[in-house]
Amino acid sequence: MKKIFVIYWTLILLSWTATAQNDMDAFRFSQTNWLGTARFMGTSGAFSAIGGDFSTLSTNPAGIGLFKKSEISFTPIVITSFKTNSTYKDELSTERRIRYSLTNFGTVFSIDFGKNNDNSKLKMLQFGFGYNRINDFNGSSFATGMDKNTMTTGFTHAANGTDYTELSRDALSAWNSWLIDTVTGETDQYISYLDGHHLQQSNYIKTSGGIDEMTFSMGANYADKLFMGITIGVPFLDYEQESEYSEEDKNDEISAFNKYTINDNLNTTGTGINAKIGVIYQPLDFMRIGVAFHSPTFYNNLKEKFERKIISEYDNDDFEDSYENLSKYKLSTPLRLIGSLGFVIAKRAFINAEYEFADYSMATLYSSDVYLYRYNFNEENKAIGRNYGISHTIRVGGELTVTDFFLIRLGYAYSSSPYRDNINDGSSHNISGGIGFRGKRFFFDFAYAYRLMNDNYWFYESEMLSPVSRKIVSNRFAATFGFKF
């Protein structure tokens, strides 16, 4: 068992130094959290069979076929407050953060073919261009608790078998920071004086960025019965994670040692491409049925910069060491399927229900250089298939026209856990509402969305370490301005 544990730790630390990409990166960048216009957010994104909103160009492109007039929409004011309750070793910590973002800008041009020809089956042709935010990475959390495990155990296992003059990355930084030392009389076997002691472990994480998808769309209205659309999506990914992990000798168990801190900064950027097709069929005046297919998104050249600094504090001196790693890789995300059913009531209200399917085990990491093939990601892709599976999302939303100018909206969405074998939660609930003011030329929409998600994470990879249990709550306020012409 001890041998297996040593091999486990060695593989983990080697994976940190050989490549920073892992199954968690593939999963993170494959997820969606559809944002966009305030009208769309006010119904929790339940618009796939209704259409007529720019955000549907990213979910069901057939929604562009419902536009009767040309339109510009802009969502410049999105305020999100985050609150994260983290529990580790029975200690509860709370972290709050507020972020501002833009989630939508787009225009749709509609060409009326039936205006001068009542016999034409092709009623409308539409073209759309703009962007929607399809995932938001902003958030923060803090957790702390007392434990006898230490990350330095992994550093010793990674260093064992290598002469101290040839150490690299984490092992070298730990050596230079006096967190590990050679066994007496040896030059390639190591120990950590922190092993077996009660340490106050603390971890602060701040994430920012998102995925903003440029959409190039075309749609058509055939006989006011069949609405079709296609979107070429170009997502721009920008993710940054800053974290600070520390272990402190609160009980003064270790001679001369006080604390060490690891500061990490991870930044990933890249551009992808995908295709989406959709159809909305209206068999009855009050009923619409929608279907959409999303191809995998292929990120051809994700660039990652990882920086790590280790600082150790002793009674008489402090030690510091750092390194950085630059890498490139490719990622293919899972395909998606969306089915929806909508009802239009007396042209004054609608209700829409939809289902979204995504299998996260289909995400795949690739080497960025086919000809100089240096890393095959076999272990990471096996981990993706082992840890992630199918996630089911259900959205229900509606809108009511109270007067000719004033509208109200409500919505709810639930996403099931994307993890296999209950190794984590990751399910989420979204409750939203909103109001709208519609004139002949100008419109304004406001939305509020409450989102709750539960998950676990670990300070570092270890079979002996307890997870941090998190409850993540976000409150989002959005306003959209638009013009019809």
Side-chain angles (χ1 to χ4, degrees):
M1 179 65 186
K2 183 177 180 182
K3 182 178 180 181
I4 294 174
F5 182 71
V6 170
I7 293 173
Y8 172 83
W9 264 109
T10 303
L11 288 174
I12 290 299
L13 269 296
L14 285 175
S15 72
W16 288 352
T17 56
T19 173
Q21 301 84 46
N22 53 41
D23 61 298
M24 291 181 289
D25 294 300
F27 170 64
R28 179 189 299 120
F29 301 145
S30 295
Q31 287 187 292
T32 57
N33 178 20
W34 306 111
L35 302 176
T37 68
R39 187 185 184 199
F40 182 84
M41 285 189 271
T43 64
S44 293
F47 248 95
S48 291
I50 299 301
D53 185 271
F54 188 85
S55 296
T56 62
L57 274 60
S58 290
T59 55
N60 185 357
I64 195 174
L66 275 297
F67 279 87
K68 297 294 179 69
K69 294 182 178 180
S70 299
E71 177 181 301
I72 295 176
S73 64
F74 183 38
T75 310
I77 305 173
V78 180
I79 303 171
T80 309
S81 67
F82 301 91
K83 177 183 176 183
T84 304
N85 290 327
S86 303
T87 302
Y88 177 63
K89 309 299 288 188
D90 297 323
E91 289 194 39
L92 175 64
S93 304
T94 300
E95 180 68 23
R96 292 179 173 86
R97 192 179 184 209
I98 296 178
R99 294 292 293 175
Y100 303 86
S101 58
L102 284 72
T103 60
N104 153 261
F105 176 77
T107 182
V108 173
F109 298 96
S110 297
I111 302 173
D112 191 345
F113 280 91
K115 185 175 182 179
N116 298 317
N117 186 358
D118 293 337
N119 296 321
S120 174
K121 293 291 186 179
L122 181 62
K123 300 297 183 181
M124 305 287 297
L125 193 65
Q126 299 91 356
F127 300 91
F129 168 76
Y131 84 91
N132 293 306
R133 173 153 286 199
I134 64 174
N135 202 353
D136 189 277
F137 297 132
N138 289 293
S140 62
S141 65
F142 175 77
T144 187
M146 192 74 72
D147 196 75
K148 291 183 69 174
N149 289 291
T150 170
M151 187 187 287
T152 59
T153 303
F155 297 151
T156 61
H157 290 314
N160 281 338
T162 303
D163 191 89
Y164 70 90
T165 61
E166 299 179 355
L167 294 174
S168 62
R169 300 295 173 82
D170 286 324
L172 178 60
S173 290
W175 166 265
N176 289 335
S177 303
W178 289 86
L179 295 178
I180 63 175
D181 198 2
T182 50
V183 176
T184 302
E186 301 287 344
T187 62
D188 64 353
Q189 297 298 311
Y190 302 83
I191 61 171
S192 169
Y193 297 109
L194 278 62
D195 279 339
H197 293 283
H198 292 87
L199 300 169
Q200 185 74 33
Q201 299 177 324
S202 301
N203 187 212
Y204 171 74
I205 302 173
K206 181 177 74 173
T207 57
S208 57
I211 302 178
D212 295 313
E213 183 177 70
M214 298 296 296
T215 60
F216 304 86
S217 303
M218 177 179 177
N221 172 349
Y222 185 79
D224 288 326
K225 290 287 186 180
L226 184 64
F227 308 91
M228 300 163 286
I230 182 170
T231 290
I232 300 300
V234 181
F236 293 85
L237 186 153
D238 183 10
Y239 175 78
E240 183 170 7
Q241 177 177 298
E242 300 174 60
S243 66
E244 180 178 288
Y245 174 77
S246 65
E247 295 182 353
E248 185 173 1
D249 184 17
K250 288 276 192 178
N251 298 332
D252 199 21
E253 296 181 9
I254 308 168
S255 176
F257 173 79
N258 297 317
K259 177 184 179 180
Y260 82 88
T261 303
I262 299 178
N263 292 308
D264 290 341
N265 185 278
L266 172 67
N267 181 249
T268 305
T269 59
T271 305
I273 190 167
N274 60 54
K276 304 172 185 180
I277 59 173
V279 174
I280 296 174
Y281 177 59
Q282 185 168 298
L284 302 170
D285 289 343
F286 61 88
M287 178 188 292
R288 295 174 186 169
I289 302 169
V291 177
F293 168 80
H294 297 191
S295 76
T297 295
F298 185 65
Y299 292 98
N300 186 54
N301 193 15
L302 289 174
K303 299 178 181 179
E304 180 178 284
K305 181 179 181 180
F306 176 75
E307 300 172 290
R308 168 164 284 185
K309 179 187 290 185
I310 299 180
I311 305 169
S312 59
E313 302 173 19
Y314 289 82
D315 287 345
N316 299 320
D317 206 352
D318 294 346
F319 302 92
E320 179 179 316
D321 198 73
S322 63
Y323 70 88
E324 69 175 42
N325 182 52
L326 302 175
S327 58
K328 298 179 181 180
Y329 64 101
K330 299 178 182 180
L331 170 65
S332 176
T333 71
L335 58 82
R336 293 179 184 274
L337 296 172
I338 300 176
S340 52
L341 178 64
F343 296 93
V344 179
I345 306 168
K347 295 184 179 181
R348 297 191 64 85
F350 75 76
I351 184 170
N352 181 87
E354 59 189 73
Y355 166 77
E356 179 179 326
F357 168 93
D359 184 355
Y360 290 100
S361 69
M362 298 173 66
T364 308
L365 292 163
Y366 302 93
S367 169
S368 63
D369 197 327
V370 176
Y371 301 103
L372 299 176
Y373 196 77
R374 296 179 179 178
Y375 195 78
N376 57 27
F377 289 101
N378 280 344
E379 294 302 317
E380 288 79 6
N381 288 326
K382 287 179 182 178
I384 293 171
R386 183 171 60 249
N387 296 332
Y388 304 100
I390 296 172
S391 177
H392 310 279
T393 300
I394 297 173
R395 290 183 284 267
V396 180
E399 178 183 87
L400 173 64
T401 302
V402 180
T403 70
D404 290 342
F405 303 101
F406 179 67
L407 306 91
I408 58 174
R409 305 177 185 103
L410 289 173
Y412 170 77
Y414 168 75
S415 293
S416 66
S417 172
Y419 296 94
R420 289 187 185 274
D421 303 324
N422 298 315
I423 62 172
N424 207 332
D425 188 351
S427 62
S428 65
H429 299 266
N430 192 94
I431 301 172
S432 63
I435 57 175
F437 299 90
R438 300 262 153 176
K440 291 183 178 180
R441 297 293 181 185
F442 173 78
F443 61 89
F444 169 77
D445 296 304
F446 175 82
Y448 164 74
Y450 169 91
R451 189 169 189 257
L452 169 65
M453 188 180 77
N454 296 291
D455 75 352
N456 295 331
Y457 84 97
W458 287 257
F459 287 157
Y460 53 90
E461 300 267 5
S462 172
E463 294 177 332
M464 311 299 291
L465 194 67
S466 300
V468 178
S469 177
R470 294 191 298 187
K471 178 180 179 181
I472 304 169
V473 173
S474 67
N475 294 276
R476 180 171 283 118
F477 302 86
T480 296
F481 303 87
F483 299 89
K484 295 179 180 293
F485 56 94

